[in-house]
């Protein structure tokens, strides 16, 4: 089984700065971890929040994973790493008035042997794809998605709503943070592609286009470039970040 992971981030065609961040780590021979963060709270605040969260999350995850005396489950490792990221961002905002109110989304997965566990806060997303289609694994923590789940609006109406960027959860805006966390067992038997992305990608490209790119006959790096090209050609109104994992026999 061959694993390829490619990540990329850029500011898009409208924003002057990039407030997204990502990291990809190979923790050991068969274990990979990836995280994507999309900052908010002003230009400097958003950039600072996503950078701090990305580093704190991944550093904590690697430390806990490699601690031979730690018997926590993988999902608990993700939760503790998220708490470390939340504390780091919240402390920076508390100590520096210019960063007051800053925060960030966070979506991450850790792939261990054949299982993939993930955690999510905000509206950056985790997708998975196989020969049958593209599947949105994570739920957005956003005002419009809450309305969709309650049957108040349709998913299409949510995608076109002027309130679609209003998130209901974020890392760093309070002392504690609530997340979604789950695992997909035997990932290689279920999916061939795993995609993490900020809303600068998911808001610009429809599911059919994402799926057609992920499953086309190109390299993983080229597919990521194609995702960015389509997002920019659709307006590129926001920062764009994507991490694509491909599984090949």
């Amino acid at each position: 089984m061959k694993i390829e992971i490619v990540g990329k981030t850029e500011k898009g065609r409208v924003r002057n700065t990039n407030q997204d961040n990502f990291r990809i780590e190979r923790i050991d021979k068969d274990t990979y971890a990836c995280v994507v963060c999309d900052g908010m709270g002003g230009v400097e605040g958003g950039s600072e929040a996503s950078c701090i969260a990305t580093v704190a999350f991944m550093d904590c995850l690697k430390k806990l994973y490699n601690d031979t005396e730690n018997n926590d489950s993988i999902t608990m490792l993700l939760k503790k790493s998220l708490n470390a990221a939340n504390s780091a961002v919240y402390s920076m905002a508390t100590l520096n008035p210019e960063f007051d109110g800053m925060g960030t989304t966070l979506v991450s997965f850790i792939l261990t042997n054949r299982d993939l566990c993930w955690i999510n806060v905000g509206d950056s997303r985790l997708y998975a794809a196989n020969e049958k289609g593209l599947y949105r694994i994570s739920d957005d923590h956003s005002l419009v998605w809450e309305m969709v789940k309650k049957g108040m609006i349709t998913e299409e109406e949510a995608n076109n709503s002027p309130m679609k960027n209003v998130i209901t959860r974020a890392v760093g805006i309070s002392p504690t943070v609530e997340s979604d966390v789950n695992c997909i067992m035997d990932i290689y038997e279920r999916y061939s592609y795993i995609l993490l992305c900020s809303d600068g990608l998911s808001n610009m490209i429809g599911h059919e286009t994402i799926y057609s790119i992920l499953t086309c006959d190109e390299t993983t790096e080229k597919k990521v470039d194609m995702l960015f090209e389509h997002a920019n050609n659709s307006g590129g109104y926001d920062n764009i970040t994507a991490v694509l994992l491909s599984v090949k026999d």
Side-chain angles (χ1 to χ4, degrees):
M1 196 71 65
K2 182 180 179 182
I3 302 295
E4 293 182 346
I5 307 178
V6 174
K8 182 178 178 180
T9 186
E10 66 174 52
K11 64 184 180 65
R13 291 188 172 177
V14 175
R15 301 289 179 89
N16 293 322
T17 59
N18 190 354
Q19 299 182 51
D20 289 2
N21 271 282
F22 77 93
R23 280 183 70 173
I24 300 169
E25 297 280 355
R26 187 171 187 175
I27 299 179
D28 65 23
K29 181 176 179 294
D30 297 311
T31 304
Y32 301 83
C34 303
V35 61
V36 166
C37 292
D38 178 359
M40 63 183 201
V43 173
E44 292 189 11
S47 299
E48 191 79 10
S50 66
C51 180
I52 291 172
T54 301
V55 173
F57 178 89
M58 194 63 79
D59 286 354
C60 183
L61 184 61
K62 291 191 297 180
K63 181 179 179 181
L64 292 174
Y65 186 87
N66 290 316
D67 183 354
T68 56
E69 296 182 1
N70 191 325
N71 295 316
D72 287 336
S73 66
I74 295 298
T75 54
M76 183 56 66
L77 297 185
L78 289 171
K79 289 180 179 180
K80 287 184 174 181
S81 300
L82 174 65
N83 289 337
N86 188 75
S87 295
V89 176
Y90 184 74
S91 295
M92 177 63 76
T94 302
L95 295 171
N96 297 273
E98 68 271 26
F99 294 144
D100 182 47
M102 75 176 181
T104 181
T105 69
L106 185 149
V107 62
S108 171
F109 70 74
I110 180 169
L111 177 65
T112 58
N113 295 316
R114 304 186 65 85
D115 302 329
L116 183 142
C117 294
W118 57 271
I119 194 165
N120 178 54
V121 177
D123 62 355
S124 294
R125 291 182 181 175
L126 169 65
Y127 290 98
N130 57 25
E131 70 280 0
K132 296 181 180 179
L134 180 72
Y135 304 91
R136 180 170 152 188
I137 304 300
S138 62
D139 274 344
D140 290 353
H141 302 135
S142 66
L143 181 61
V144 294
W145 191 245
E146 292 294 329
M147 294 170 71
V148 170
K149 290 192 292 183
K150 292 177 181 178
M152 299 170 64
I153 60 174
T154 66
E155 188 168 350
E156 182 178 356
E157 288 172 332
N159 291 335
N160 296 318
S161 171
M163 298 185 294
K164 67 181 179 181
N165 292 324
V166 179
I167 60 175
T168 56
R169 298 185 201 174
V171 175
I173 61 173
S174 63
T176 60
V177 62
E178 184 180 355
S179 63
D180 292 342
V181 60
N182 213 330
C183 293
I184 303 172
M185 304 303 178
D186 297 320
I187 190 72
Y188 302 141
E189 298 175 10
R190 296 171 181 262
Y191 302 109
S192 300
Y193 305 98
I194 301 294
L195 174 66
L196 297 178
C197 67
S198 63
D199 65 344
L201 181 69
S202 58
N203 282 343
M204 293 290 101
I205 312 180
H207 283 204
E208 291 184 3
T209 301
I210 293 176
Y211 181 67
S212 67
I213 292 173
L214 297 190
T215 55
C216 74
D217 188 20
E218 292 286 355
T219 65
T220 305
E221 183 175 6
K222 178 61 176 177
K223 291 176 183 180
V224 171
D225 288 339
M226 291 170 66
L227 289 170
F228 277 68
E229 181 180 357
H230 276 74
N232 279 315
N233 288 343
S234 296
Y237 300 121
D238 200 354
N239 305 148
I240 310 166
T241 301
V243 174
L244 177 60
L245 180 151
S246 299
V247 181
K248 299 181 179 180
D249 294 330

